[in-house]
Amino acid sequence: MTAPSTILPLDVSSLVYEAGGTRLLHDVSFRLTAGTRTVMLGPNGAGKSLTLRLCHGLLTPTMGAIRWGGEVSSDPARTRRHQAMVFQRPVLLRRSARGNIEHALKLRRVPRAERRARAELALAQTGLAALGDRPARALSGGEQQRLALARAWATTPQVLFLDEPTANLDPAATRAVETLIGGFHAAGAKIIMTTHDLGQAQRIADEILFVHNGRLLEKTAAEQFFTAPTTREAEAFIKGELLW
Amino acid sequence: MGEFGQGLINAATLIVSFDSDFLGIVGLSLRVSLSAVVIACLIGFPLGALLALSRFPGRGAAVAVLNALMGLPPVVVGLIVFLALSRSGPFGVLGLLFTPTAMIIAQTILVAPIIAALTRQTVEDLWAEYGEHLRSLNATRADTIATLLWDGRYSLTTTVLAGFGRAIAEVGAVMIVGGNIDNLTRVMTTAIALETSKGNLEMALGLGIVLLVLALTVNGVSQLIGASAQRQALRA
Amino acid sequence: MVDLFRRLAWLLSLLPLIAATPTAAERPLILATTTSVDNSGLLKHLLPKVTADTGLTVHVVVRGTGAALRLGTSGDADVVFVHDRLAEDAFVAAGHGSFRRDVMSSNFLIIGPHDDPAKIADLPDPAAGLRRIAQTKTLFVSRGDGSGTHNAELRLWTAAGLDPRVASGTWYRETGSGMGATLNIASALDAYLLTESGTWANFGNRGALTVLNDNALLNPYGIMLVNPQRHPHVPENDARKFIDWLTSPVAQQAIDEFTINDQHPFRSAAGAETTAK
């Protein structure tokens, strides 16, 4: 694979999103650069997943701009070619584990001859080599999420979006997913992930975007966020006090 | 109970006798109905999938109409196809009236809405589940339809069987456009109607039982194929 | 999903095989006729002889007389062989048919339950029988479908000086169905009805029904060539060959010889030909 010039940085400016007359996201701006693991943190319903979907182009902003590599693209599909997304509940097709990966590669126009080998590699990297023939939807929850990661990884993304990837998993499966995310980061992918789990954010994040009530309240290095949050809301969240 | 007993005996006799007239009727029934179902699938799968994925003004009405068309009365369809294919009708020059082709056309019109409407439902449900993932992968409309139809294959098998059941069991349309001509357009259902009109109720019942066995066989075979395909898919 | 499309393409390639239909090159003759002719088994008796003598292939479409004549009007049949003299003459007079020829006749019969609750069996005059059925309000089922038999029945009621339709839905029941369906209903209801000897002779589900009057009416059958000037696709030569055969001495003898359950339901009557003036 010849590495295409990077699509990063990601510049989000004055992003507003409304649905059904309700403003869910208020004037959100930030810049994300390559090489770091960015974690969007915040309570449920803060607007984290929404922001992720807007960045990935699955939703269209009501106002504001999303620029990849400094360009505003009228066609989100062009940059999406270099992104992949893993959802909270893995969307697995009614096929074998390997079939799921091969299907994604096919949609990404990978030549038929290459698909099998790349799928096997992705399965091996995620510890699923022995399960390639199993129907994907018959796998355990942890295996399913690892398969979703394998499938995303097989498409060689520059940017990997992860929307609460461990929200439905037990601690052991969570740890396995976190290890894989670390591996993808080490291999050079930009990780952009949402979570409401403080511990997970501490384990993974280089950089924290703290989102609350549809507003971006803080964007700081992880270490600084956890030791010296600048907003009252972030402080309360770190202390484990409920925020509504 | 006498008639039912005699009907069973007649059915058994018909099946084991391998009477060529009888086999011709069974063969034509299968040929007409299976052809109609295949054509209806070629129309109904893409149409249903397209409707499932499209958003346009009046879509709700289109879905309602399509669902209502599932209940098209065979006699009405027969009459419309008859008028269209009649020598005095717009397609009269084709000379298709009272041929198996005319019967296939009528049954296709009966079955296509069933396939399309049920496909629409299946694909729409799957789209709700797969939509974000497929868009994330930049799937084209064609990719999406192909993926959803394939992943809906088990529901769609039932859809196809529902369509086949409708086709093989209907008598109104094929009677009108086929004419129940001996050795040409006589199928199981029109033969049953004929024997009933002759007052040969035991023979009519016998044919009815054979029709039931036939429908059961087709369903069973498709289930076996489905199960083996499923096994193969897991191994592949 | 190339696989899916490949599969569909494969299915598509099978279509010509399963949907193949006979070409128009050697077009068979399409004969529209009535239930009585077909259900009686007369055609099964005659058609092999037609093919043997003339080499013609005849496809038979069975309808009530009214519907059979309409198939001629629209050009969907080449030859029409029915039994309703007035309608047939109108068909020829309107130019839908080139000519009409007598072929044979059968009898109309009044059928009813063998215990004969209206006591009509001892009345030789069929109109008198109908009057008694009306007086006693005994169940009577009518075709009610504009067929030749239905029209004959209505003429018989007129001869009896009655209009049974005022009692429609009470003791007079119009089925709107073919002869066979109407016979099945009469059998189930133990009702009276008018039928014709050809269908009756071959009818299996008689139940308690029996013939109570066989003097009802003569039922003449006529055959008509659908006008080739209006419908150029009608194979006129074949059609004429078939009509000539059916009215030939050989065929007429075959009609007289035809028996069902030891009865001779049809009598030959070839002769008069009428054309449009």
Side-chain angles (χ1 to χ4, degrees), chain C residues 51-260:
Chain C
T51 308
D53 288 0
T54 65
L56 292 171
T57 308
V58 182
H59 284 160
V60 182
V61 179
V62 180
R63 295 282 193 269
T65 291
L69 285 170
R70 249 186 325 275
L71 286 181
T73 307
S74 60
D76 292 313
D78 306 317
V79 179
V80 185
F81 182 26
V82 294
H83 62 113
D84 186 344
R85 188 59 200 263
L86 296 177
E88 291 162 35
D89 287 342
F91 181 78
V92 173
H96 299 308
S98 302
F99 62 83
R100 176 202 178 278
R101 224 182 261 175
D102 284 330
V103 177
M104 63 182 193
S105 65
S106 68
N107 272 340
F108 283 115
L109 308 169
I110 299 179
I111 306 290
H114 60 68
D115 61 353
D116 191 17
K119 301 294 168 227
I120 66 161
D122 52 344
L123 297 175
D125 175 17
L130 291 191
R131 267 197 297 276
R132 195 172 281 176
I133 290 169
Q135 278 157 14
T136 55
K137 298 192 192 324
T138 322
L139 275 185
F140 185 97
V141 283
S142 165
R143 292 277 293 274
D145 64 349
S147 61
T149 303
H150 181 221
N151 289 339
E153 179 213 312
L154 292 179
R155 284 196 289 278
L156 202 55
W157 282 108
T158 306
L162 288 168
D163 179 9
R165 283 178 169 166
V166 299
S168 180
T170 59
W171 60 268
Y172 187 72
R173 311 251 170 112
E174 291 155 296
T175 64
S177 308
M179 194 71 256
T182 307
L183 275 164
N184 280 327
I185 291 167
S187 170
L189 293 177
D190 283 342
Y192 291 88
L193 85 162
L194 185 82
T195 187
E196 156 284 339
S197 51
T199 309
W200 175 252
N202 200 33
F203 184 71
N205 178 33
R206 293 184 179 183
L209 298 183
T210 186
V211 177
L212 297 173
N213 186 310
D214 59 2
N215 306 324
L217 282 171
L218 200 64
N219 178 28
Y221 284 81
I223 193 159
M224 284 145 288
L225 169 66
V226 172
N227 191 346
Q229 268 137 26
R230 285 201 184 167
H231 301 290
H233 59 269
V234 170
E236 185 179 354
N237 290 338
D238 286 355
R240 283 183 184 275
K241 212 190 283 182
F242 175 69
I243 294 171
D244 287 344
W245 184 88
L246 200 61
T247 49
S248 71
V250 179
Q252 292 289 301
Q253 197 187 336
I255 289 170
D256 284 328
E257 282 169 3
F258 173 64
T259 59
I260 323 164

Side-chain angles (χ1 to χ4, degrees), chain B residues 22-39:
Chain B
F22 168 70
L23 290 180
I25 290 173
V26 172
L28 185 67
S29 288
L30 286 174
R31 191 182 117 193
V32 166
S33 294
L34 289 175
S35 304
V37 168
V38 168
I39 299 169

Side-chain angles (χ1 to χ4, degrees), chain B residues 31 35 39 42 82 86-88 97-98 101 146-147 149-150 175-176 181-182 184 194 196-199 201, chain C residues 1 4 7-8 12 15 18-21 39 44 59-61 63 71 74-76 180 184 202-205 233:
Chain B
R31 191 182 117 193
S35 304
I39 299 169
L42 293 177
F82 176 91
S86 164
R87 291 284 180 181
S88 314
L97 199 62
F98 305 140
T101 306
T147 301
L149 287 179
W150 180 250
M175 182 66 99
I176 295 174
I181 297 171
D182 203 4
L184 180 68
L194 176 65
T196 306
S197 83
K198 285 186 191 167
L201 303 190
Chain C
M1 279 328 319
L4 184 62
R7 258 167 260 220
L8 287 177
L12 199 59
L15 279 184
I18 44 188
T21 47
N39 279 11
K44 271 215 159 57
H59 284 160
V60 182
V61 179
R63 295 282 193 269
L71 286 181
S74 60
D76 292 313
N184 280 327
N202 200 33
F203 184 71
N205 178 33
H233 59 269

Side-chain angles (χ1 to χ4, degrees), chain B:
Chain B
M1 281 314 291
E3 275 108 355
F4 286 102
Q6 192 55 47
L8 276 171
I9 292 168
N10 280 339
T13 313
L14 278 171
I15 291 170
V16 297
S17 70
F18 287 105
D19 174 64
S20 70
D21 278 2
F22 168 70
L23 290 180
I25 290 173
V26 172
L28 185 67
S29 288
L30 286 174
R31 191 182 117 193
V32 166
S33 294
L34 289 175
S35 304
V37 168
V38 168
I39 299 169
C41 286
L42 293 177
I43 300 167
F45 283 158
L47 191 74
L50 218 57
L51 189 57
L53 301 178
S54 305
R55 293 293 174 269
F56 55 89
R59 179 180 177 276
V63 170
V65 167
L66 186 60
N67 286 342
L69 287 181
M70 287 199 286
L72 267 180
V75 180
V76 174
V77 170
L79 196 59
I80 291 167
V81 174
F82 176 91
L83 292 174
L85 296 182
S86 164
R87 291 284 180 181
S88 314
F91 303 104
V93 287
L94 300 176
L96 289 177
L97 199 62
F98 305 140
T99 65
T101 306
M103 301 158 83
I104 293 171
I105 292 171
Q107 291 200 340
T108 300
I109 294 172
L110 278 174
V111 174
I114 296 180
I115 306 278
L118 297 180
T119 300
R120 202 257 330 146
Q121 190 63 56
T122 299
V123 169
E124 206 166 304
D125 291 348
L126 271 178
W127 174 244
E129 193 186 333
Y130 288 7
E132 287 198 318
H133 170 65
L134 292 176
R135 287 171 55 218
S136 168
L137 286 166
N138 285 347
T140 63
R141 172 75 52 114
D143 289 333
T144 302
I145 289 177
T147 301
L148 297 180
L149 287 179
W150 180 250
D151 275 51
R153 58 198 178 277
Y154 301 119
S155 311
L156 292 179
T157 306
T158 309
T159 297
V160 172
L161 288 176
F164 175 75
R166 165 94 152 160
I168 197 83
E170 75 84 24
V171 60
V174 285
M175 182 66 99
I176 295 174
V177 303
N180 191 27
I181 297 171
D182 203 4
N183 295 315
L184 180 68
T185 58
R186 183 161 299 164
V187 291
M188 298 291 296
T189 52
T190 59
I192 290 169
L194 176 65
E195 293 304 329
T196 306
S197 83
K198 285 186 191 167
N200 290 342
L201 303 190
E202 292 84 2
M203 182 52 75
L205 195 61
L207 285 164
I209 293 168
V210 174
L211 180 62
L212 219 75
V213 171
L214 200 67
L216 213 63
T217 308
V218 168
N219 277 272
V221 165
S222 92
Q223 212 159 42
L224 282 178
I225 292 173
S228 90
Q230 208 164 2
R231 275 197 303 277
Q232 219 161 12
L234 300 191
R235 228 177 289 121

